[in-house]
Amino acid sequence: MDVILIGFMGSGKTTIGKLLAEMLLVPHTDLDQKIVESAGQTIKDFFSKYGEVKFRELEHRILLNQLKKNGVLSTGGGTPINIQNLEILQATKTPVILLEASTNTILERVGKSEERPLVNQMSTRQLTSLRAERMPFYQECADLRINTDNRSPVEITEQIYRYLLDTNQYSINSKVKF
Ligand code: S3P
């Protein structure tokens, strides 16, 4: 992969991932989408049939597969929490970008989502504490942190693009970097 986006649910990983891929002229991959395709069912159904542990196993296998490809990868909110995934994300040379959002922003963006089994079962308080619990894992593997509160997707995408240029991780003249 050329860039990996991480962050809590509702931090904008999929939206920004698509825009960034367009800007870099590379494919975009959504890890959740790959999981749905591989499982042949929605994440919500998979969770309720097999539970979170099985979901994390499948997520890990698919992450390993996707890392070999090129493009922008939007991970799931829980991907870096699995220690094996965290180690991979720490060791990779691919830039890992953390998108951050406050609990209020997260609730505004995904509060009513039917498709997110973890959010559906939680109170605002539980969501706040899950977000706080996960933050150290995200920070452990992030090369760049971006607060997305009250910022437009285009603005955020341009910030990532500029970071890649400034750190020589992307060249305007070549579609594929490195
Ligand atoms: C999860 C986040 C979801 C999805 C699954 C579990 C999590 O992805 O992988 O529902 O544990 O935070 P998004 O972050 O894309 O919503």
Side-chain angles (χ1 to χ4, degrees):
M1 281 291 165
D2 302 306
V3 183
I4 300 173
L5 301 181
I6 62 165
F8 202 72
M9 290 171 272
S11 58
K13 301 179 295 291
T14 303
T15 307
I16 307 294
K18 283 182 187 159
L19 283 174
L20 185 64
E22 269 175 35
M23 214 177 259
L24 299 177
L25 304 171
V26 295
H28 173 247
T29 304
D30 188 76
L31 195 62
D32 285 341
Q33 187 54 41
K34 290 288 169 195
I35 295 171
V36 169
E37 284 166 21
S38 161
Q41 58 197 302
T42 64
I43 289 179
K44 190 182 171 198
D45 288 346
F46 191 92
F47 255 75
S48 55
K49 269 192 220 155
Y50 305 107
E52 185 169 352
V53 173
K54 287 273 171 237
F55 174 80
R56 297 297 170 201
E57 284 169 14
L58 180 59
E59 182 181 46
H60 174 65
R61 281 208 305 279
I62 295 180
L63 174 70
L64 285 179
N65 254 316
Q66 294 305 315
L67 287 175
K68 297 173 202 146
K69 305 185 179 164
N70 76 314
V72 177
L73 177 68
S74 301
T75 58
T79 309
I81 311 311
N82 170 334
I83 192 72
Q84 288 173 302
N85 295 346
L86 181 66
E87 282 170 7
I88 291 168
L89 293 171
Q90 282 178 312
T92 184
K93 290 199 172 74
T94 303
V96 176
I97 316 288
L98 167 59
L99 300 179
E100 296 180 325
S102 65
T103 307
N104 280 346
T105 304
I106 289 161
L107 281 170
E108 270 167 33
R109 290 182 189 159
V110 303
K112 293 184 188 74
S113 166
E114 294 278 308
E115 270 310 314
R116 286 177 167 96
L118 287 178
V119 177
N120 296 156
Q121 299 156 8
M122 276 180 198
S123 66
T124 303
R125 210 171 146 174
Q126 285 171 317
L127 197 71
T128 306
S129 87
L130 182 67
R131 180 184 165 282
E133 226 172 81
R134 285 180 170 186
M135 209 41 98
F137 290 85
Y138 297 146
Q139 289 172 2
E140 279 280 310
C141 57
D143 297 303
L144 174 70
R145 291 167 61 177
I146 299 183
N147 186 348
T148 66
D149 290 333
N150 304 313
R151 296 186 66 205
S152 78
V154 169
E155 224 178 293
I156 297 161
T157 307
E158 280 171 354
Q159 185 181 344
I160 300 172
Y161 184 72
R162 268 200 313 276
Y163 165 80
L164 297 174
L165 288 179
D166 291 350
T167 53
N168 296 320
Q169 301 191 80
Y170 182 76
S171 145
I172 291 178
N173 296 323
S174 69
K175 286 187 188 171
V176 184
K177 61 190 181 62
F178 306 129

